[in-house]
Amino acid sequence: MLKTLLSPRLLGLHLLTIGVVIAFIMLGRWQLGVFEDSGRPVMTTDPAPVPVTELAPLGAQMQGTAVARKVTVEGVYEAGRQLLVADRRPDVDAPGGKVSRDHGYWVLTPIRLDDGTLMPVVRGWVADAADPAATAVPAGRMSVPGRLRPQQGSDTVQRRQEGLPPGQVQTVATGELVNLWQGEQVRNGYVVAEPPSGALTQVASPPPMAGGEVTWRNLAYAANWWIFAGFAVFMWFHFVRDAVRADRDREESPEMVLEG
């Protein structure tokens, strides 16, 4: 049997089968990867900027389609209402609060729009609250490009037990800003300026994302390739079995003739 298995005609079959099985397994794994990636969020087309008043409402929740959209904010910065958002990294998706304690501040300055409402704008990030860049506010009428973000819930960060100094907040929550900027109408959400003001560091804000469509056919393709691999092994087994039987029958035939 060993002589048959190692014969040149079967050695080629062994190598061919190994190559085919490896190729089919890899093709199946590739299709499985395509299936797994199909459901992940993907970057959508970045629409042209629109005035922030079209997407940031007053007294209502922001629509999901408005999140991370490019907008322009036109008006005058209210330097006297500027706040620092404490314990923040220069990335809107990075966690805030205790996990980012002493990592820096977002510089939050409202712009008074032409209709008299206030739009909170994160002008950038600064490492030190005493840095002059944190307090320098551009004067005059501005047209600020950026990305619109939804307000942050007051329970989204683990707050400091000892509280914060005056002029600092932990989240960009519309309800909290209304209380701080009493008597003002504050639009929902906030805008991350792109580019940042002056010497401030850019706060990263990714473009809109959308959920990917799951392509179940790729999962079926993966299963097909693995079935083909199993069939290749099945056919190899039958070819080898038939070859072993044929050689065994040839070896036994002379003995049967002599006995006759």
Side-chain angles (χ1 to χ4, degrees), residues 122-141:
V122 173
R123 296 193 296 113
W125 176 91
V126 68
D128 185 358
D131 190 327
T135 56
V137 180
R141 184 175 178 83

Side-chain angles (χ1 to χ4, degrees), residues 70-219:
K70 285 184 176 181
V71 295
T72 54
V73 189
E74 294 190 2
V76 179
Y77 277 119
E78 293 275 312
R81 302 183 188 277
Q82 179 166 278
L83 299 168
L84 295 180
V85 186
D87 305 327
R88 292 289 171 164
R89 302 169 191 266
D91 188 339
V92 293
D93 291 330
K98 282 188 175 181
V99 294
S100 295
R101 181 159 184 169
D102 300 327
H103 278 80
Y105 305 83
W106 291 354
V107 181
L108 180 69
T109 314
I111 283 185
R112 187 172 296 280
L113 306 179
D114 293 338
D115 61 3
T117 61
L118 294 182
M119 186 68 228
V121 176
V122 173
R123 296 193 296 113
W125 176 91
V126 68
D128 185 358
D131 190 327
T135 56
V137 180
R141 184 175 178 83
M142 306 291 295
S143 179
V144 180
R147 290 192 183 275
L148 185 62
R149 305 294 306 184
Q151 69 163 328
Q152 300 176 321
S154 58
D155 58 348
T156 57
V157 299
Q158 189 176 3
R159 296 171 176 268
R160 299 186 187 186
Q161 294 180 350
E162 69 276 17
L164 292 170
Q168 295 186 19
V169 293
Q170 293 258 237
T171 60
V172 188
T174 305
E176 185 176 0
L177 295 178
V178 168
N179 291 330
L180 291 171
W181 301 331
Q182 292 184 4
E184 299 289 353
Q185 290 184 302
V186 183
R187 290 187 175 272
N188 202 318
Y190 63 99
V191 173
V192 179
E194 295 181 350
S197 295
L200 296 176
T201 299
Q202 176 71 62
V203 175
S205 180
M209 303 291 287
E213 181 180 356
V214 177
T215 54
W216 293 100
R217 67 177 181 275
N218 293 105
L219 182 61

